[in-house]
Amino acid sequence: MNIRSIRRTLLSGTIISSLTVAAGIVAPVLVAPTPAMAQDISSGTLTGSVVGEGGAPVAGATVEIQSTEQGFSRSATTGAEGDFRAALLPIGRYTVTITAPGYAPVAQSVQIALGGTSSYNFSLTEGAADTVGEIVVTAARRNLDFNETTTGLTVDVQDLVKTTPVGRSIASIILLAPGTVPGDSTFGDVPSIGGSSVAENAYYVNGLNITNFDTYIGGSTVPFDFYRSVEVKTGGYAAEYGRATGGIVNAVTKSGSNDFYMALHGNYAPDSLRSQSPDTYSAANSLYEADSSSTTVELGGPIIKDRLFFYGLTEFRDTESTSYSITSNNKTISKSDDPFYGVKIDGYVTDDHHLEFTWFDTTRETNSDIYAWDSATGVVGGQTDTSYSKTGGESYVARYTGTLTDWLTISAAYGKNQESQPSKTGSTTDSYAYDYRDDPSTTESDYIGLVSDQTSSTYTSIRNTEREFWRFDADLYFDFFGKHHVRAGVDHENLTLERTTATNGDQYYRYYTATAASAYVKNGSIAAGDTYVRVTAYNASGKFENQNEAYYLQDSWDVNDQLTLNLGVRLDKFDLNSGTGDTIVSFDNEIGPRLGFTFDPLNDGRSRFFGSYGRYYLPVASNTAFRMSSAELYFSEYFTVDQSTPYDENGLPNLGTQIVNYSGAVSCPSGGIGTAGVLGCGVSADGSIPSTESLVAKNLESTAEDEFQFGYERKIGDLWTVGANYTYRNLARSAEDVAVDAAVLNYCEEQGISGCGSIWSGFHQYVVVNPGSSATITLSDALPGETDVRTVTFSAEELGYPEAKRIYQALELTFERAFDGVWGLRGSYVLSKSEGNTEGYVKSDNGQSDAGITQDFDQPGLTDGSYGLLPNHRAHVFKLFGSYQALRDLSVGGNLTVASPRHYGCIGYYPDENNFAYDYGAASYYCDSEATPRGSQMTSDWQTTFDVSLRYTVPVSIPGDLVLRADIFNLFDADAVTDLNEFGDQSGYDPNNTDDNNPYYGQATSYQSPRYVRIGFDWTF
């Protein structure tokens, strides 16, 4: 006897509606808690309990579950406790009809949410059987899910946009979830989840992983109207999910139905209805202009009624923006107008066997024209350059889901996700030349000769990625000391990265004037006042084929009526290979337990305690393979020039003799550009693929994080739900690159070996290690006087790096008032703290996107003062959103977010010029030689954003249904500072000269988005 189910039914009751079977369903739930652990990645499961008038279970009742959209049906029979289950149902709305001898039939409408269990109760009354066609459909109210330990939310996107103002991006949905905050604008529109960096989330569409595995920042940009439902898992996720230490963003696209469907959607955000942000020292925001529009056409319906369906979408996108840079003195006009295409075909061989195929193309090109602009006079000059970038590609996924018996279901999937990202500025064949003769230390320069119409970008980049994946999952249900739902599976990914970065025109030039202090003057190479030129070339390319694989097993075990245990384990395997196919790292024993429980303290089905523990692992980004093992050519060489005519009419130098290096100790061979061939004579990479033997510690372990959660949830009446949850996340270890030169020099001194400084000069050997742990390292070169290369084990103290730390703690308070046809509301308040000495896979301080090989641990001195409040720390975040049906044809929605400031330190030069960290420039937590720890010096502003929406259904006799929309974002035009310049010392800092302090330190670099209006319509047939 399931006492919890019976009591839940008696207390909650059944909400009766006058809706008929034809009229359908009550107003849908906009947002619901993320469902149970042990469920499929793109479908849901329905469970229910059937009881009679006295609360006794009804065994042997026939349950028919029919899709209101696609017509297929499933059937089940209630067991001895009156319960039933229908596993792996496509998300959507269903009618559940229950018949039993001696009882009047009951039909209720339910909704299956993405990724989990939807649990309902059904009450039968004694009476004569009735015909199904005469049954009045009542709206079932969903119960608390007592298998759930995952936190987050699930959104029905179609319903959300009908009532609530949200941006047309996946990020805008993610940011509705508690525990999420916007990431640094450097990385684009990518949120931080649970205190982790923006490069630690995983993104799925219809089971296809679309995460960017090059840097792990975001995923493929899928147009908003293609989404049907989005699930944001902020913590406590099950063993089938991995490769993320932030959150899981799981989405399902729209599908066709038995009704032919056509829709036309328009969206327009004109510049005339946009306010302006205040200017910063680097950007004239008051002159910024932006227009965007999109038109979306949808078409769907049956190919074979009840069996085979199609859905297609085309979105025509058109955006144009004009920005003005004060520091670069230019005006940039950017345009993009590429369409998006998406198709989904799905069908049922029988009601129990579902096949799906989804294809979409996210290709998008952006072209920019760049003009000279005088920020002092406002005069716009001629065009100086052009730039081009492209993102996106074709992706597809095929899935099969089958119910073989009432105790066994299986699913399988195969697909590919492709992304192409070429970008260039100006001509790829013309060399760039810059004149630094007036002020060699400045970050600005004049352009000369033929390239006077070029900007400072000197590189062309090409990046192509392809993820090929397959997976297989099985669900097994049985009774043994309680009820078990065992889910197991395997998934495999083949990752291919092809990437090239090359200097435009093969090399670029910088002209300098020699001073009396110049090393070149001192060693007699040139005279003071002479012009000389630096020639620089860079080319790195490679193809990198890597693999990720995982096996998982999890059991959702109903021990009794009050207690459910979720017992899971995941085994991850990550292989990263070099450009030659050799293994850089192989992690094959990353075991992650996923343990959880739910407990009903009163055994009434209306409240629950829940908790979970999980260990999550991150793969090594493919960018690491590119940075470590590409075929790289890099040299910077110096030459004299003809002093009367240093360069020709095209800006190209009239080269003289090659100048020896600063010390004059190396005699550079003659022969022209790039032929020196001597490391230390300007050539730091000779174009060959290096061995990775010395670049990774032998005992390296992957990045891992531990998470603990404990929460309580209570249902009040039929509409209200409140909850509280505490989360603790701890970065167990991090895989990061460090310079080992200082440790090698100390080792040489202890071993009595001289001459090591000529090789390990401070920046010679970087190795990926686990900071704070010992590392077994193969040296890059043989020690002086030796022929064999040594492998040495360095202790953490000898390496000089502290343990990588990141701790996130959060108390989350939530409430929801379900939409009842009149109004609905959901809110959260999160009190949190995110602190440590590393943000994670990226570095917001300097905008570095090199996942896993950031500047954080590059030199021991750079870690001084690095522990503090991290860039994604927001102590207080309050969110509130909902809607109100003001009139029959008019609804009003609101979305409010209030967030506390970001904290900053002061970044400058390391105070000891003899420490290798000093040579990194402004990169340590010292300013003016004083300690300025992370997060201790200043803050940005509190940020309040209030958005409103209006939806008006046109009540006129026209074909189809027409809804007019208006969304006003940042209604009160708040202009809070969202980012500050954190660099206190500027290039060439001299501790004895206060003029070397950065005059822009502490000034705003960005403000929150100003008020703008988006108008649109939805016309459906």
Side-chain angles (χ1 to χ4, degrees):
M1 177 66 185
N2 192 327
I3 301 298
R4 180 174 65 196
S5 298
I6 295 173
R7 290 185 177 177
R8 186 185 311 150
T9 300
L10 294 175
L11 289 171
S12 65
T14 303
I15 298 177
I16 304 296
S17 169
S18 62
L19 297 174
T20 64
V21 172
I25 311 301
V26 297
V29 177
L30 290 182
V31 182
T34 299
M37 290 185 66
Q39 300 301 331
D40 183 70
I41 198 169
S42 65
S43 61
T45 291
L46 172 67
T47 63
S49 296
V50 180
V51 298
E53 290 179 285
V58 178
T62 299
V63 182
E64 182 180 358
I65 304 113
Q66 184 172 33
S67 168
T68 61
E69 299 166 0
Q70 295 184 328
F72 71 90
S73 63
R74 300 275 180 88
S75 60
T77 302
T78 58
E81 296 182 355
D83 54 352
F84 69 90
R85 176 189 62 252
L88 304 187
L89 292 170
I91 65 170
R93 299 178 179 89
Y94 292 79
T95 298
V96 179
T97 304
I98 303 173
T99 58
Y103 293 93
V106 168
Q108 291 191 313
S109 61
V110 301
Q111 182 162 332
I112 305 300
L114 174 62
T117 298
S118 300
S119 178
Y120 295 87
N121 289 324
F122 304 88
S123 295
L124 302 182
T125 58
E126 295 182 4
D130 207 344
T131 61
V132 174
E134 297 174 343
I135 296 175
V136 175
V137 178
T138 63
R141 186 66 60 184
R142 183 173 175 172
N143 300 313
L144 293 180
D145 189 338
F146 285 84
N147 291 321
E148 175 191 340
T149 60
T150 302
T151 55
L153 59 77
T154 299
V155 172
D156 187 311
V157 179
Q158 295 180 107
D159 295 329
L160 182 70
V161 297
K162 293 177 182 177
T163 58
T164 308
V166 291
R168 293 178 58 80
S169 69
I170 193 69
S172 65
I173 294 179
I174 297 171
L175 291 173
L176 294 175
T180 63
V181 298
D184 191 279
S185 59
T186 303
F187 308 116
D189 190 17
V190 187
S192 163
I193 300 177
S196 299
S197 78
V198 299
E200 298 173 43
N201 306 320
Y203 300 81
Y204 294 86
V205 171
N206 290 353
L208 174 67
N209 189 344
I210 61 170
T211 311
N212 170 13
F213 61 82
D214 184 19
T215 62
Y216 280 93
I217 300 174
S220 299
T221 302
V222 177
F224 201 68
D225 288 318
F226 201 44
Y227 289 118
R228 166 69 185 268
S229 183
V230 175
E231 178 189 20
V232 182
K233 297 176 182 288
T234 58
Y237 35 91
E240 74 173 288
Y241 297 97
R243 305 180 189 126
T245 50
I248 304 291
V249 182
N250 185 29
V252 168
T253 65
K254 296 177 182 177
S255 299
S257 69
N258 273 328
D259 295 322
F260 280 104
Y261 168 83
M262 181 176 178
L264 184 64
H265 308 280
N267 292 278
Y268 180 40
D271 184 71
S272 59
L273 297 179
R274 177 185 296 270
S275 298
Q276 304 293 348
S277 294
D279 291 343
T280 68
Y281 65 87
S282 60
N285 293 326
S286 59
L287 300 177
Y288 180 78
E289 300 175 17
D291 282 286
S292 66
S293 63
S294 68
T295 302
T296 303
V297 180
E298 296 180 277
L299 185 65
I303 300 174
I304 302 174
K305 188 175 182 181
D306 293 342
R307 281 291 173 255
L308 185 61
F309 311 91
F310 75 94
Y311 171 82
L313 176 147
T314 299
E315 182 184 54
F316 300 95
R317 303 167 289 184
D318 191 355
T319 61
E320 181 174 341
S321 65
T322 303
S323 59
Y324 296 80
S325 172
I326 297 174
T327 52
S328 299
N329 284 315
N330 63 38
K331 169 186 174 180
T332 302
I333 301 176
S334 298
K335 297 180 180 180
S336 181
D337 59 0
D338 291 309
F340 166 90
Y341 304 99
V343 174
K344 183 176 181 182
I345 304 292
D346 66 320
Y348 298 85
V349 180
T350 69
D351 286 349
D352 294 327
H353 299 275
H354 186 199
L355 296 171
E356 305 170 73
F357 179 79
T358 308
W359 171 88
F360 53 92
D361 185 350
T362 63
T363 303
R364 186 172 178 81
E365 296 182 3
T366 301
N367 291 278
S368 299
D369 295 324
I370 304 168
Y371 300 86
W373 173 67
D374 190 323
S375 58
T377 64
V379 174
V380 177
Q383 185 172 346
T384 61
D385 216 335
T386 61
S387 70
Y388 162 86
S389 65
K390 177 181 175 182
T391 60
E394 295 186 54
S395 299
Y396 67 85
V397 56
R399 290 183 58 81
Y400 161 75
T401 305
T403 301
L404 304 184
T405 70
D406 60 357
W407 52 267
L408 177 63
T409 63
I410 61 173
S411 62
Y414 172 82
K416 288 185 179 181
N417 170 236
Q418 296 177 325
E419 283 279 327
S420 176
Q421 289 194 347
S423 63
K424 68 181 182 70
T425 299
S427 169
T428 60
T429 57
D430 291 336
S431 296
Y432 289 66
Y434 313 104
D435 194 346
Y436 281 76
R437 288 178 293 180
D438 292 335
D439 185 1
S441 67
T442 185
T443 57
E444 301 177 11
S445 62
D446 296 321
Y447 314 121
I448 57 179
L450 174 70
V451 293
S452 61
D453 61 347
Q454 310 255 28
T455 70
S456 59
S457 177
T458 59
Y459 298 101
T460 293
S461 175
I462 299 174
R463 192 196 77 173
N464 297 307
T465 64
E466 180 182 277
R467 171 190 279 106
E468 179 186 34
F469 97 105
W470 58 263
R471 67 177 294 151
F472 178 84
D473 305 273
D475 294 80
L476 178 67
Y477 303 87
F478 62 91
D479 295 344
F480 181 76
F481 292 103
K483 296 183 178 181
H484 296 263
H485 172 190
V486 175
R487 181 166 171 82
V490 56
D491 80 274
H492 180 91
E493 297 181 338
N494 294 319
L495 312 175
T496 302
L497 168 67
E498 295 182 83
R499 188 168 172 181
T500 299
T501 302
T503 309
N504 289 330
D506 295 329
Q507 62 268 325
Y508 69 93
Y509 309 99
R510 287 188 177 185
Y511 296 92
Y512 296 93
T513 298
T515 66
S518 169
Y520 297 142
V521 173
K522 292 180 179 179
N523 66 24
S525 299
I526 53 177
D530 281 355
T531 293
Y532 63 99
V533 64
R534 189 185 83 176
V535 183
T536 300
Y538 180 79
N539 186 303
S541 62
K543 181 178 181 180
F544 311 92
E545 298 181 341
N546 310 308
Q547 294 82 38
N548 294 328
E549 191 167 82
Y551 303 84
Y552 74 90
L553 176 67
Q554 56 197 39
D555 180 11
S556 181
W557 175 21
D558 291 333
V559 180
N560 54 41
D561 290 344
Q562 292 180 267
L563 178 65
T564 298
L565 299 179
N566 289 292
L567 310 175
V569 64
R570 179 183 176 93
L571 172 63
D572 273 302
K573 297 183 177 182
F574 310 135
D575 289 325
L576 187 74
N577 301 317
S578 71
T580 59
D582 297 328
T583 298
I584 299 177
V585 292
S586 180
F587 302 118
D588 58 4
N589 196 31
E590 310 302 83
I591 299 175
R594 308 290 175 84
L595 309 175
F597 76 92
T598 61
F599 179 69
D600 183 352
L602 302 177
N603 198 20
D604 64 355
R606 302 186 63 81
S607 62
R608 70 185 184 108
F609 289 99
F610 65 93
S612 67
Y613 162 72
R615 166 158 283 204
Y616 310 131
Y617 296 96
L618 269 182
V620 181
S622 292
N623 174 64
T624 301
F626 172 75
R627 290 286 304 275
M628 296 178 110
S629 65
S630 59
E632 184 178 30
L633 171 68
Y634 180 52
F635 65 81
S636 289
E637 299 173 349
Y638 295 82
F639 289 82
T640 63
V641 293
D642 185 326
Q643 296 304 310
S644 61
T645 311
Y647 46 84
D648 61 22
E649 67 277 6
N650 295 319
L652 302 180
N654 295 313
L655 292 178
T657 59
Q658 187 172 0
I659 303 173
V660 297
N661 71 340
Y662 287 106
S663 66
V666 177
S667 177
C668 293
S670 61
I673 301 172
T675 62
V678 179
L679 297 180
C681 192
V683 180
S684 57
D686 60 8
S688 62
I689 298 177
S691 168
T692 59
E693 180 75 11
S694 63
L695 302 180
V696 178
K698 305 297 183 186
N699 56 340
L700 180 70
E701 296 182 285
S702 67
T703 297
E705 182 174 65
D706 291 318
E707 178 196 72
F708 298 87
Q709 290 197 136
F710 183 77
Y712 175 76
E713 190 175 20
R714 175 72 180 176
K715 194 173 184 65
I716 303 173
D718 292 324
L719 298 177
W720 289 88
T721 304
V722 297
N725 178 56
Y726 171 75
T727 299
Y728 176 87
R729 284 184 164 188
N730 178 44
L731 187 66
R733 61 175 183 258
S734 178
E736 263 285 354
D737 73 322
V738 305
V740 299
D741 291 40
V744 174
L745 294 178
N746 289 334
Y747 174 80
C748 288
E749 184 176 354
E750 293 174 359
Q751 298 292 314
I753 302 172
S754 60
C756 293
S758 63
I759 302 173
W760 288 274
S761 57
F763 316 97
H764 178 65
Q765 185 174 359
Y766 288 80
V767 183
V768 179
V769 305
N770 299 122
S773 300
S774 63
T776 301
I777 296 170
T778 297
L779 301 183
S780 59
D781 300 85
L783 297 174
E786 299 181 0
T787 57
D788 295 330
V789 174
R790 294 193 187 190
T791 297
V792 181
T793 298
F794 295 97
S795 67
E797 291 74 20
E798 290 170 332
L799 289 172
Y801 297 99
E803 179 184 2
K805 292 183 179 180
R806 185 183 69 199
I807 297 174
Y808 174 77
Q809 298 184 77
L811 175 63
E812 177 184 306
L813 305 177
T814 61
F815 74 88
E816 179 184 7
R817 199 271 188 186
F819 188 75
D820 61 354
V822 180
W823 68 283
L825 189 66
R826 184 178 176 94
S828 66
Y829 166 70
V830 178
L831 171 66
S832 66
K833 187 177 185 180
S834 183
E835 60 182 342
N837 58 13
T838 179
E839 180 183 353
Y841 252 24
V842 297
K843 188 176 176 65
S844 294
D845 306 322
N846 61 0
Q848 190 174 7
S849 60
D850 291 317
I853 50 173
T854 66
Q855 197 181 73
D856 280 343
F857 294 90
D858 275 7
Q859 294 291 345
L862 299 181
T863 64
D864 292 357
S866 62
Y867 192 95
L869 296 174
L870 295 168
N872 295 313
H873 166 79
R874 303 291 185 274
H876 308 276
V877 178
F878 176 72
K879 299 179 181 180
L880 185 69
F881 59 97
S883 63
Y884 173 65
Q885 192 71 34
L887 300 171
R888 186 187 67 175
D889 300 318
L890 177 66
S891 67
V892 181
N895 187 358
L896 171 68
T897 300
V898 180
S900 59
R902 174 175 167 179
H903 291 249
Y904 298 83
C906 183
I907 299 175
Y909 276 67
Y910 194 79
D912 182 0
E913 296 184 31
N914 296 316
N915 190 294
F916 296 139
Y918 177 85
D919 294 312
Y920 266 66
S924 69
Y925 284 98
Y926 290 90
C927 284
D928 254 350
S929 300
E930 298 292 331
T932 53
R934 182 196 294 270
S936 66
Q937 301 299 299
M938 57 184 176
T939 65
S940 60
D941 294 339
W942 278 80
Q943 185 173 339
T944 300
T945 303
F946 181 51
D947 308 327
V948 296
S949 66
L950 298 173
R951 303 288 185 265
Y952 178 66
T953 302
V954 178
V956 295
S957 298
I958 60 174
D961 298 315
L962 178 62
V963 177
L964 303 180
R965 293 182 279 105
D967 296 279
I968 306 174
F969 298 93
N970 191 6
L971 176 65
F972 300 112
D973 200 22
D975 59 357
V977 174
T978 58
D979 201 2
L980 298 169
N981 188 315
E982 197 174 6
F983 293 86
D985 299 336
Q986 61 184 359
S987 179
Y989 169 75
D990 180 352
N992 299 314
N993 183 3
T994 57
D995 290 338
D996 285 338
N997 294 334
N998 183 1
Y1000 302 122
Y1001 170 70
Q1003 293 192 24
T1005 59
S1006 67
Y1007 295 85
Q1008 71 181 100
S1009 296
R1011 179 177 56 230
Y1012 71 97
V1013 178
R1014 185 183 68 212
I1015 55 179
F1017 67 89
D1018 302 303
W1019 194 4
T1020 60
F1021 302 88

